[in-house]
């Protein structure tokens, strides 16, 4: 157990070699009274903190920071953290990345485009023993699957998954790291391929076809 936290608090360790990302996450999470936060900039630094402070309730590791070597670093951190949840922070993982991360025992995958409020909720969720995987990563994004099941492209299928959640174009653009006009273009293309007039009809048609 991490020193200096109360029984009602969740201790969080965030490790990322991008200083700006790390600072933003730490600033927001530290403002929440139920969380205590410590940071590291490499896997070795994170493992040293765990050794010195004790296991953390939830640890978030950047997939591509120094020392990770893919899921090998994740496995080392899970062992060091005495079985407490360890999750991966990443930008845009491939389907293979997602599969390897989850098979290695990660508590979840958090995208770096995630809104801070969603990040906090994901931390609470994983600390409670649940596995967190963003909706867009649960969509089978392989080209073979897309060709067999839907007329939509990989990116259009991803945008459609956000339409199902009722998100406006601006929030979809932020989540995917794209410009809002690009999202509008994808929505128009989705409607055209599905033979509907608007996004609401697109969601209904997609559900009828079993695309989402």
């Amino acid at each position: 157990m991490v020193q200096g936290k109360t029984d009602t608090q969740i201790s969080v360790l965030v490790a990322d070699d991008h200083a700006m990302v790390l600072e933003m996450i730490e600033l927001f999470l530290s403002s929440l009274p139920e969380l205590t936060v410590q940071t590291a900039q490499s896997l070795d630094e994170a493992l040293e903190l765990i050794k010195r402070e004790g296991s953390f309730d939830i640890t978030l590791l950047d997939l591509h920071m120094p020392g990770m070597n893919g899921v090998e670093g994740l496995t080392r951190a899970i062992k060091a953290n005495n079985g407490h949840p360890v999750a991966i922070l990443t930008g845009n993982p491939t389907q293979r990345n997602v599969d390897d991360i989850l098979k290695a025992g990660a508590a979840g995958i958090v995208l770096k485009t995630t809104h801070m409020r969603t990040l906090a909720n994901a931390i609470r969720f994983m600390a409670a023993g649940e596995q967190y995987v963003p909706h867009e990563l649960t969509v089978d994004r392989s080209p073979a699957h897309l060709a067999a099941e839907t007329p939509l492209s990989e990116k259009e299928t991803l945008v459609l998954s956000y339409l199902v959640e009722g998100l406006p174009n601006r929030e979809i653009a932020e989540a995917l790291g794209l410009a809002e006009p690009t999202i509008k273009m994808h929505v128009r293309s989705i409607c055209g391929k599905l033979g509907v007039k608007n996004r609401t009809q697109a969601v209904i048609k997609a559900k009828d076809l079993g695309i989402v």
Side-chain angles (χ1 to χ4, degrees):
M1 177 178 176
V2 172
Q3 302 172 14
K5 84 176 187 75
T6 68
D7 292 337
T8 59
Q9 288 179 310
I10 298 172
S11 57
V12 184
L13 170 59
V14 184
D16 195 307
D17 63 328
H18 292 87
M20 185 180 300
V21 172
L22 196 62
E23 185 176 346
M24 288 175 60
I25 293 176
E26 181 183 19
L27 185 64
F28 179 79
L29 296 182
S30 296
S31 71
L32 304 177
E34 73 273 28
L35 304 181
T36 64
V37 185
Q38 295 195 50
T39 62
Q41 292 188 318
S42 69
L43 178 63
D44 287 345
E45 190 177 336
L47 294 177
E48 181 60 34
L49 265 174
I50 294 171
K51 182 179 179 180
R52 185 171 72 243
E53 300 288 336
S55 57
F56 287 78
D57 293 322
I58 177 72
T59 297
L60 303 178
L61 302 175
D62 174 21
L63 182 62
H64 299 295
M65 70 179 173
M68 282 297 288
N69 193 24
V71 296
E72 180 184 327
L74 169 64
T75 303
R76 291 174 62 195
I78 292 173
K79 182 178 179 180
N81 207 37
N82 293 320
H84 288 271
V86 178
I88 289 294
L89 274 170
T90 187
N92 185 29
T94 64
Q95 189 64 51
R96 182 175 179 178
N97 286 154
V98 172
D99 293 342
D100 289 347
I101 289 166
L102 297 180
K103 285 178 183 177
I109 300 172
V110 179
L111 300 178
K112 291 188 178 183
T113 52
T114 300
H115 290 287
M116 288 298 174
R117 289 191 301 275
T118 303
L119 170 61
N121 288 333
I123 286 172
R124 297 183 187 103
F125 190 69
M126 291 185 288
E130 303 293 338
Q131 189 177 64
Y132 175 81
V133 182
H135 175 72
E136 59 264 39
L137 297 187
T138 66
V139 176
D140 187 337
R141 299 171 293 163
S142 66
H145 171 84
L146 292 170
E149 302 294 339
T150 172
L152 306 181
S153 70
E154 179 179 348
K155 186 66 72 175
E156 288 165 351
T157 302
L158 193 51
V159 170
L160 179 62
S161 71
Y162 283 100
L163 296 182
V164 171
E165 296 179 2
L167 295 183
N169 290 344
R170 177 179 55 79
E171 292 187 18
I172 297 175
E174 290 177 357
L176 297 180
L178 299 172
E180 188 171 348
T182 302
I183 300 301
K184 291 180 180 178
M185 179 189 68
H186 284 311
V187 173
R188 284 197 300 270
S189 180
I190 290 168
C191 291
K193 289 182 178 180
L194 295 181
V196 297
K197 295 181 178 179
N198 57 52
R199 59 202 292 140
T200 301
Q201 292 178 1
V203 169
I204 294 172
K205 182 70 174 289
K207 288 183 176 179
D208 288 343
L209 293 174
I211 296 174
V212 293

